[in-house]
Amino acid sequence: MKRLTPIFNYLEPFDWGDAFDKFGFDDGTGLVRTYEVAYCLERAGYKTAIGHYGIHNIVINSIKLDSIELLPLHDPTIRYGYTPARAYLPKDIIDILDKAFPNQPAPPKKFTNGNRYHPRR
């Protein structure tokens, strides 16, 4: 069986949804692990493309299987980069990512100063 996660999976757990979120990985200033998520999907047989979301995070902006785009980039009900990835990704992809990155922390709490991750910044 193919290994789905890269060898550097020893790092602390993270939310794989940040790889699709404009403000993920602390708005791109934290440890950006988008490439690990893309690597996992490529090992599972998908083709991915990665790009910058403006000056913010590095995100996965294409997932293809047999030349069919699986991200609903033209769906008017989805705001890519804002809508949580679990709301629009196919169940197969969610299952692969949940299995590959099982120890995700709970979604970060909003602190009173509006910062998602660090209450004292």
Side-chain angles (χ1 to χ4, degrees):
M1 183 174 160
K2 289 183 185 177
R3 181 180 171 88
L4 293 178
T5 56
I7 58 171
F8 40 81
N9 197 30
Y10 62 87
L11 299 169
E12 67 182 55
F14 66 99
D15 181 1
W16 57 258
D18 281 358
F20 302 89
D21 186 352
K22 176 181 180 179
F23 302 106
F25 301 115
D26 208 5
D27 201 17
T29 62
L31 177 60
V32 177
R33 298 177 73 179
T34 301
Y35 296 98
E36 291 178 62
V37 177
Y39 176 82
C40 172
L41 292 173
E42 289 177 4
R43 296 287 294 169
Y46 297 90
K47 300 289 183 200
T48 63
I50 295 173
H52 287 272
Y53 201 116
I55 61 170
H56 299 276
N57 192 23
I58 298 170
V59 295
I60 296 173
N61 53 26
S62 176
I63 301 174
K64 292 183 179 181
L65 183 63
D66 299 326
S67 300
I68 298 171
E69 180 61 53
L70 300 176
L71 290 181
L73 299 175
H74 302 293
D75 183 340
T77 63
I78 304 292
R79 288 190 64 204
Y80 185 72
Y82 295 89
T83 304
R86 289 180 182 275
Y88 58 81
L89 287 177
K91 184 175 179 348
D92 295 345
I93 291 176
I94 293 172
D95 291 344
I96 288 167
L97 294 175
D98 281 344
K99 184 177 178 184
F101 306 104
N103 298 318
Q104 293 184 29
K109 295 179 181 177
K110 292 246 181 203
F111 296 101
T112 55
N113 66 358
N115 192 305
R116 293 190 332 177
Y117 297 99
H118 304 286
R120 294 193 178 154
R121 270 199 203 168

